[in-house]
């Protein structure tokens, strides 16, 4: 049989080793938990920053879309103005052509009248 003193001694040694081991594991666990909590806090902060940046980016994209829409509306208005001016130019060209034709006709009639008056003046001069 095993000596009871030796048994008590071994029990005490193993109990001490067990207590130390439990204490060490508790310490390590606490240390790991603290590190994990710290990492979780860092990840939470990073997520909050990411959310804030995403919201800011969304606002910038919305503003950019508003500007693009505004520019598209301005371009459309400009196109309407250009079309109207093009129509006015066509009308102006037609009016100019008609005026030139009228001027040529008036000049022709004037020249004919001048010729008639010259003939009349010659006839009167010979009388």
């Amino acid at each position: 049989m095993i000596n009871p003193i030796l048994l008590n001694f071994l029990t005490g040694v193993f109990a001490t080793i067990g207590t130390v081991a439990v204490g060490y594991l508790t310490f390590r666990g606490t240390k790991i938990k603290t590190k994990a909590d710290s990492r979780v806090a860092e990840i939470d902060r990073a997520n909050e920053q990411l959310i804030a940046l995403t919201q800011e980016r969304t606002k910038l994209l919305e503003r950019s879309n508003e500007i693009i829409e505004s520019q598209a509306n301005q371009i459309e208005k400009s196109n309407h103005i250009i079309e109207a001016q093009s129509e006015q130019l066509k009308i102006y060209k037609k009016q100019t052509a008609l005026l030139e034709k009228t001027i040529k006709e008036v000049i022709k009639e004037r020249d004919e009248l001048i010729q008639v008056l010259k003939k009349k003046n010659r006839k009167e001069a010979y009388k």
Side-chain angles (χ1 to χ4, degrees):
M1 278 233 85
I2 299 181
N3 187 348
I5 295 175
L6 182 62
L7 187 61
N8 282 339
F9 174 74
L10 289 175
T11 304
V13 168
F14 284 120
T16 304
I17 290 172
T19 304
V20 169
V22 168
Y24 176 75
L25 291 176
T26 303
F27 169 75
R28 290 284 294 156
T30 303
K31 189 174 177 183
I32 290 170
K33 184 178 183 320
T34 303
K35 281 185 178 179
D37 289 346
S38 174
R39 292 292 291 156
V40 167
E42 286 178 31
I43 291 170
D44 285 345
R45 283 192 298 276
N47 282 339
E48 288 173 6
Q49 289 175 347
L50 182 60
I51 289 169
L53 290 172
T54 302
Q55 289 172 343
E56 186 176 335
R57 182 173 181 258
T58 300
K59 287 178 185 177
L60 290 173
L61 287 173
E62 288 172 355
R63 180 65 183 134
S64 177
N65 285 340
E66 290 172 2
I67 291 170
I68 289 170
E69 284 181 27
S70 173
Q71 289 174 341
N73 289 338
Q74 289 176 348
I75 289 170
E76 189 175 337
K77 288 177 184 177
S78 295
N79 286 341
H80 289 306
I81 291 170
I82 290 170
E83 288 174 10
Q85 288 175 339
S86 176
E87 290 298 319
Q88 288 177 343
L89 182 60
K90 288 177 186 175
I91 293 169
Y92 174 77
K93 286 181 179 180
K94 287 179 184 177
Q95 289 175 336
T96 302
L98 183 61
L99 185 59
E100 287 175 355
K101 182 180 174 185
T102 304
I103 289 172
K104 286 179 184 177
E105 290 174 359
V106 168
I107 289 173
K108 183 179 175 184
E109 288 179 18
R110 183 198 68 186
D111 291 344
E112 289 174 359
L113 285 174
I114 289 173
Q115 292 300 326
V116 170
L117 285 175
K118 283 182 181 178
K119 287 181 184 177
K120 185 176 178 185
N121 285 341
R122 284 188 206 146
K123 288 182 184 177
E124 287 182 7
Y126 288 117
K127 286 188 184 179

